[in-house]
Amino acid sequence: MKKSLIVVVATLLAAGTAHAGGSHDGGHGNEAKTQQQGHGQAHGQGNHSHEDMMAAGMPGKASAASRVLEIIMLEKDDGSMVFEPAVLTVNKGETVRLKLINKGESDHEFVLDEHMANMKHKEAMAKYPDMEHADPNAIRLESGKSGEIIWTFSNTGRFEFACLIPGHYEAGMRGDVSVEDKTASN
C-alpha cells in the first residue's frame, strides 16, 4: 500500500517538476544530508546527471559550498507560520549549504522549486499529507530537529521555498530565492 501510494505521488510530482532528482523510497538525493526523523542520513558522493537538474538548480557537493544560509522554521503567536529569513539572494552557479532548523512546535518542511511546481506538490500533499519526500530539494523536520540541503543554483530567476504540509503555506510559510547572474552586470 505505502509503495503504491509513493508511486502515485511520485508520478504526480514528476508531472510538475522537470527532471527532478531523487526517488520516493528513501533519502533526499545524492548530496543532501538530513537529520530527519531524529537521525542523520548522508548520501553518496556520486556524480550528478542531467536528471538531477531542476529549474532552481541541482544538488551540490558539500566541498563546493561557499557559505551557510541558516533558515529557521517556526510558528508565531498570531498563528502564522514562517521561515526566517523569508528572502534569500544567491549568485548563479553558487553552491550553498541550507541549514534548516525547526524551532516550531509542529513538523515543517522546506521544498525549493518554481512556484507552479510547488503548487502541484501542495495539491498532492493535500491528498497525501503524510507522504515521505525523497527529493534532493526537500526536507521534512520534526519539532526541534535540524537538517541541511546542499544546493547549486545553476539558473537565474526567482524561485520559491515553502512548507507544503496542509495549511502551512496558507499560514504564510513560504519564501523567495532570487538567483542573480553577477557576471552579466560586469
Coordinates of all heavy atoms in Angstrom, one line a residue, residues 34-93:
T34 N 20.4 14.9 5.8 CA 19.3 15.3 6.7 C 19.5 14.7 8.0 O 20.2 13.7 8.2 CB 18.0 14.8 6.1 OG1 18.0 13.4 6.1 CG2 17.8 15.2 4.6
Q35 N 18.7 15.2 9.0 CA 18.6 14.6 10.3 C 17.1 14.4 10.5 O 16.6 14.7 11.6 CB 19.3 15.5 11.3 CG 20.7 15.6 11.2 CD 21.4 16.5 12.2 OE1 20.7 17.0 13.1 NE2 22.7 16.6 12.1
Q36 N 16.5 13.9 9.5 CA 15.0 13.7 9.5 C 14.7 12.6 10.4 O 15.5 11.6 10.5 CB 14.6 13.5 8.1 CG 13.1 13.5 7.9 CD 12.8 13.4 6.5 OE1 13.5 12.8 5.7 NE2 11.7 13.9 6.1
Q37 N 13.6 12.6 11.1 CA 13.1 11.6 12.0 C 14.1 11.3 13.1 O 14.2 10.2 13.7 CB 12.9 10.2 11.2 CG 12.1 10.4 9.9 CD 10.6 10.6 10.2 OE1 10.1 10.1 11.2 NE2 9.9 11.4 9.4
G38 N 14.9 12.3 13.4 CA 15.8 12.2 14.6 C 17.1 11.5 14.3 O 17.9 11.3 15.2
H39 N 17.4 11.2 13.1 CA 18.7 10.5 12.8 C 19.2 11.1 11.5 O 18.5 11.4 10.6 CB 18.5 9.0 12.7 CG 17.7 8.5 11.6 ND1 16.3 8.7 11.6 CD2 18.0 7.7 10.5 CE1 15.8 8.1 10.5 NE2 16.8 7.6 9.8
G40 N 20.5 11.2 11.4 CA 21.2 11.7 10.2 C 21.2 10.7 9.1 O 21.3 9.5 9.3
Q41 N 21.3 11.2 7.9 CA 21.4 10.3 6.7 C 22.2 11.0 5.7 O 21.7 11.9 5.1 CB 19.9 10.0 6.2 CG 20.0 9.0 5.1 CD 18.6 8.6 4.7 OE1 17.6 9.1 5.2 NE2 18.4 7.8 3.7
A42 N 23.4 10.6 5.5 CA 24.2 11.2 4.5 C 24.1 10.3 3.2 O 24.1 9.1 3.3 CB 25.7 11.2 5.0
H43 N 24.2 11.0 2.1 CA 24.1 10.3 0.8 C 25.4 10.3 0.1 O 26.2 11.1 0.4 CB 23.0 10.9 0.0 CG 21.7 10.9 0.7 ND1 20.9 9.8 0.8 CD2 21.0 11.9 1.4 CE1 19.8 10.1 1.6 NE2 19.9 11.3 1.9
G44 N 25.5 9.4 -0.9 CA 26.7 9.1 -1.6 C 27.3 10.3 -2.3 O 26.6 11.3 -2.5
Q45 N 28.5 10.3 -2.7 CA 29.2 11.4 -3.3 C 29.2 11.2 -4.8 O 30.1 11.6 -5.5 CB 30.6 11.4 -2.8 CG 30.8 11.7 -1.3 CD 30.3 13.1 -1.0 OE1 30.5 14.0 -1.7 NE2 29.7 13.2 0.2
G46 N 28.1 10.6 -5.4 CA 28.1 10.3 -6.8 C 28.1 11.5 -7.7 O 27.9 12.6 -7.3
N47 N 28.3 11.3 -9.0 CA 28.2 12.3 -10.0 C 26.8 12.7 -10.2 O 25.9 11.9 -10.1 CB 28.8 11.9 -11.3 CG 30.3 11.7 -11.1 OD1 31.0 12.3 -10.4 ND2 30.8 10.7 -11.8
H48 N 26.5 13.9 -10.6 CA 25.2 14.4 -10.9 C 24.9 14.3 -12.4 O 25.7 14.7 -13.2 CB 24.9 15.8 -10.4 CG 25.1 15.9 -8.9 ND1 24.2 15.3 -8.0 CD2 26.0 16.5 -8.1 CE1 24.6 15.5 -6.8 NE2 25.7 16.3 -6.8
S49 N 23.8 13.8 -12.7 CA 23.4 13.7 -14.1 C 22.4 14.8 -14.5 O 22.0 15.5 -13.6 CB 22.7 12.3 -14.4 OG 21.5 12.3 -13.7
H50 N 22.1 14.9 -15.7 CA 21.2 15.8 -16.2 C 19.8 15.6 -15.5 O 19.1 16.6 -15.3 CB 21.0 15.7 -17.7 CG 20.0 16.7 -18.3 ND1 20.2 18.1 -18.3 CD2 18.8 16.5 -18.8 CE1 19.2 18.7 -18.8 NE2 18.3 17.8 -19.1
E51 N 19.5 14.4 -15.1 CA 18.2 14.1 -14.5 C 18.2 14.7 -13.1 O 17.1 14.9 -12.6 CB 18.1 12.6 -14.3 CG 17.8 11.9 -15.7 CD 17.7 10.4 -15.6 OE1 17.5 9.9 -14.5 OE2 17.7 9.8 -16.6
D52 N 19.3 15.1 -12.5 CA 19.3 15.7 -11.2 C 18.9 17.2 -11.3 O 18.6 17.9 -10.3 CB 20.6 15.6 -10.5 CG 20.9 14.2 -10.0 OD1 20.0 13.5 -9.7 OD2 22.1 13.9 -9.9
M53 N 19.0 17.8 -12.5 CA 18.8 19.2 -12.7 C 17.3 19.6 -12.6 O 16.4 18.9 -13.1 CB 19.3 19.6 -14.1 CG 19.1 21.1 -14.4 SD 20.2 22.1 -13.4 CE 21.5 22.3 -14.6
M54 N 17.1 20.6 -11.8 CA 15.7 21.2 -11.7 C 15.8 22.7 -12.1 O 16.9 23.2 -12.3 CB 15.3 21.0 -10.2 CG 15.2 19.6 -9.8 SD 14.8 19.5 -8.0 CE 13.0 19.9 -8.2
A55 N 14.7 23.3 -12.1 CA 14.6 24.7 -12.5 C 15.5 25.6 -11.7 O 16.2 26.4 -12.1 CB 13.2 25.2 -12.5
A56 N 15.5 25.3 -10.4 CA 16.3 26.1 -9.4 C 17.7 25.7 -9.3 O 18.5 26.3 -8.6 CB 15.7 26.0 -8.0
G57 N 18.1 24.6 -10.0 CA 19.5 24.1 -9.9 C 19.5 22.6 -9.7 O 18.7 21.9 -10.2
M58 N 20.5 22.2 -8.9 CA 20.7 20.8 -8.6 C 21.4 20.5 -7.3 O 22.0 21.5 -6.7 CB 21.5 20.1 -9.7 CG 22.9 20.7 -9.9 SD 23.6 20.0 -11.4 CE 25.0 21.1 -11.6
P59 N 21.4 19.3 -6.8 CA 22.1 19.0 -5.5 C 23.6 19.4 -5.7 O 24.1 19.2 -6.8 CB 22.0 17.5 -5.4 CG 20.8 17.2 -6.2 CD 20.7 18.1 -7.3
G60 N 24.2 19.9 -4.7 CA 25.6 20.3 -4.8 C 26.5 19.5 -3.9 O 26.0 18.6 -3.2
K61 N 27.8 19.7 -4.0 CA 28.7 19.0 -3.2 C 29.1 19.8 -2.0 O 29.3 21.0 -2.2 CB 30.0 18.6 -4.0 CG 29.7 17.6 -5.1 CD 31.0 17.2 -5.8 CE 30.7 16.2 -6.9 NZ 31.8 15.8 -7.6
A62 N 29.1 19.2 -0.8 CA 29.5 20.0 0.4 C 30.8 20.7 0.3 O 30.9 21.8 0.7 CB 29.5 19.0 1.6
S63 N 31.8 20.1 -0.4 CA 33.1 20.7 -0.5 C 33.0 22.0 -1.4 O 33.9 22.8 -1.3 CB 34.1 19.7 -1.1 OG 33.6 19.3 -2.4
A64 N 32.0 22.2 -2.2 CA 31.9 23.3 -3.1 C 31.0 24.5 -2.4 O 31.0 25.6 -3.0 CB 31.2 22.9 -4.4
A65 N 30.4 24.2 -1.3 CA 29.6 25.3 -0.7 C 30.4 26.5 -0.3 O 31.4 26.4 0.4 CB 28.9 24.7 0.6
S66 N 30.0 27.7 -0.7 CA 30.7 28.9 -0.5 C 30.2 29.6 0.8 O 30.9 30.4 1.4 CB 30.5 29.9 -1.6 OG 29.1 30.2 -1.8
R67 N 29.0 29.2 1.3 CA 28.5 29.8 2.6 C 27.4 28.9 3.1 O 26.8 28.1 2.4 CB 28.1 31.2 2.4 CG 27.0 31.4 1.3 CD 26.7 32.9 1.1 NE 26.0 33.1 -0.1 CZ 25.0 34.0 -0.2 NH1 24.7 34.7 0.9 NH2 24.3 34.1 -1.3
V68 N 27.0 29.2 4.3 CA 25.9 28.5 5.0 C 24.8 29.5 5.2 O 25.0 30.7 5.7 CB 26.3 28.0 6.4 CG1 25.1 27.4 7.1 CG2 27.4 27.0 6.3
L69 N 23.6 29.2 4.8 CA 22.4 30.0 5.0 C 21.5 29.3 6.0 O 21.0 28.2 5.7 CB 21.7 30.3 3.6 CG 22.5 31.0 2.6 CD1 21.7 31.1 1.3 CD2 22.9 32.4 3.0
E70 N 21.4 29.9 7.1 CA 20.6 29.3 8.2 C 19.1 29.7 8.0 O 18.9 31.0 8.0 CB 21.1 29.6 9.6 CG 20.4 28.9 10.7 CD 21.1 29.2 12.0 OE1 22.1 28.5 12.3 OE2 20.5 30.0 12.8
I71 N 18.2 28.8 8.0 CA 16.8 29.1 7.9 C 16.0 28.5 9.0 O 16.1 27.3 9.2 CB 16.2 28.6 6.5 CG1 17.0 29.3 5.4 CG2 14.7 29.0 6.4 CD1 16.8 28.7 4.0
I72 N 15.3 29.3 9.8 CA 14.5 28.8 10.9 C 13.1 28.6 10.5 O 12.5 29.5 9.8 CB 14.6 29.9 12.1 CG1 16.0 30.2 12.5 CG2 13.8 29.4 13.3 CD1 16.8 29.1 13.0
M73 N 12.5 27.6 10.9 CA 11.1 27.3 10.7 C 10.3 27.4 12.0 O 10.8 26.8 13.0 CB 10.9 25.8 10.2 CG 11.8 25.4 9.0 SD 11.9 23.6 9.0 CE 11.9 23.4 7.2
L74 N 9.2 28.2 12.1 CA 8.5 28.3 13.3 C 7.1 28.9 13.1 O 6.8 29.4 12.1 CB 9.3 29.1 14.3 CG 9.4 30.6 14.0 CD1 9.5 31.4 15.3 CD2 10.7 30.9 13.3
E75 N 6.4 28.7 14.2 CA 5.0 29.3 14.3 C 5.1 30.6 15.1 O 5.9 30.7 16.0 CB 4.0 28.4 15.0 CG 3.9 27.0 14.4 CD 4.9 26.0 15.0 OE1 5.2 26.1 16.2 OE2 5.3 25.1 14.3
K76 N 4.3 31.6 14.8 CA 4.3 32.8 15.6 C 3.0 32.8 16.5 O 2.1 32.1 16.3 CB 4.2 34.0 14.6 CG 5.4 34.2 13.7 CD 6.5 34.8 14.5 CE 7.6 35.2 13.5 NZ 8.6 36.1 14.2
D77 N 3.0 33.7 17.5 CA 1.9 33.8 18.4 C 0.6 34.2 17.7 O -0.5 33.8 18.2 CB 2.2 34.9 19.5 CG 3.3 34.4 20.4 OD1 3.5 33.2 20.6 OD2 3.9 35.3 21.1
D78 N 0.7 34.9 16.6 CA -0.6 35.3 15.9 C -1.1 34.1 15.0 O -2.1 34.3 14.3 CB -0.3 36.5 15.0 CG 0.7 36.3 13.9 OD1 1.2 35.2 13.7 OD2 1.0 37.3 13.2
G79 N -0.5 32.9 15.0 CA -1.0 31.8 14.2 C -0.3 31.6 12.9 O -0.5 30.6 12.2
S80 N 0.5 32.6 12.5 CA 1.2 32.5 11.3 C 2.4 31.5 11.4 O 2.8 31.2 12.5 CB 1.7 33.8 10.8 OG 2.7 34.4 11.7
M81 N 2.8 31.0 10.3 CA 4.0 30.1 10.2 C 5.0 30.7 9.3 O 4.6 31.1 8.2 CB 3.5 28.7 9.8 CG 2.6 28.0 10.7 SD 2.1 26.4 10.1 CE 1.1 25.8 11.4
V82 N 6.2 30.7 9.6 CA 7.2 31.4 8.8 C 8.5 30.7 8.7 O 8.9 29.8 9.5 CB 7.5 32.8 9.4 CG1 6.2 33.6 9.4 CG2 8.0 32.7 10.8
F83 N 9.3 31.1 7.7 CA 10.7 30.9 7.6 C 11.4 32.2 7.9 O 11.0 33.2 7.5 CB 11.1 30.5 6.1 CG 10.5 29.2 5.6 CD1 9.4 29.1 4.8 CD2 11.2 28.0 6.0 CE1 9.0 27.9 4.3 CE2 10.7 26.8 5.6 CZ 9.6 26.7 4.7
E84 N 12.5 32.1 8.6 CA 13.3 33.3 8.9 C 14.7 33.0 8.5 O 15.3 32.1 9.1 CB 13.2 33.7 10.4 CG 11.8 34.2 10.8 CD 11.7 34.5 12.3 OE1 12.6 34.2 13.1 OE2 10.7 35.1 12.6
P85 N 15.3 33.7 7.5 CA 14.7 34.7 6.7 C 13.7 34.1 5.7 O 13.8 32.9 5.3 CB 15.9 35.4 6.1 CG 16.9 34.3 5.9 CD 16.7 33.4 7.2
A86 N 12.9 35.0 5.1 CA 11.9 34.5 4.1 C 12.4 35.0 2.7 O 11.7 34.7 1.7 CB 10.5 35.1 4.4
V87 N 13.5 35.6 2.6 CA 14.1 36.1 1.3 C 15.6 35.8 1.3 O 16.3 36.1 2.2 CB 13.9 37.6 1.1 CG1 14.5 38.1 -0.2 CG2 12.4 38.0 1.1
L88 N 16.0 35.1 0.2 CA 17.4 34.7 0.0 C 17.8 35.3 -1.3 O 17.1 35.3 -2.3 CB 17.6 33.2 0.0 CG 17.1 32.5 1.3 CD1 17.3 31.0 1.0 CD2 17.9 32.9 2.5
T89 N 19.1 35.7 -1.4 CA 19.7 36.1 -2.7 C 21.0 35.3 -2.8 O 21.8 35.3 -1.9 CB 20.0 37.6 -2.7 OG1 18.8 38.3 -2.5 CG2 20.6 38.1 -4.0
V90 N 21.1 34.7 -4.0 CA 22.3 33.9 -4.3 C 22.8 34.2 -5.7 O 22.1 34.8 -6.5 CB 22.1 32.4 -4.1 CG1 21.7 32.0 -2.7 CG2 21.0 31.9 -5.0
N91 N 24.0 33.8 -6.0 CA 24.6 34.0 -7.3 C 24.4 32.8 -8.2 O 24.5 31.7 -7.7 CB 26.0 34.4 -7.2 CG 26.3 35.6 -6.4 OD1 25.6 36.6 -6.7 ND2 27.2 35.6 -5.5
K92 N 24.2 33.0 -9.4 CA 24.1 31.9 -10.4 C 25.4 31.1 -10.3 O 26.5 31.7 -10.3 CB 23.9 32.4 -11.8 CG 23.9 31.3 -12.9 CD 23.7 31.8 -14.2 CE 23.7 30.7 -15.2 NZ 23.7 31.2 -16.6
G93 N 25.3 29.8 -10.2 CA 26.5 28.9 -10.1 C 26.9 28.7 -8.6 O 27.8 27.9 -8.4

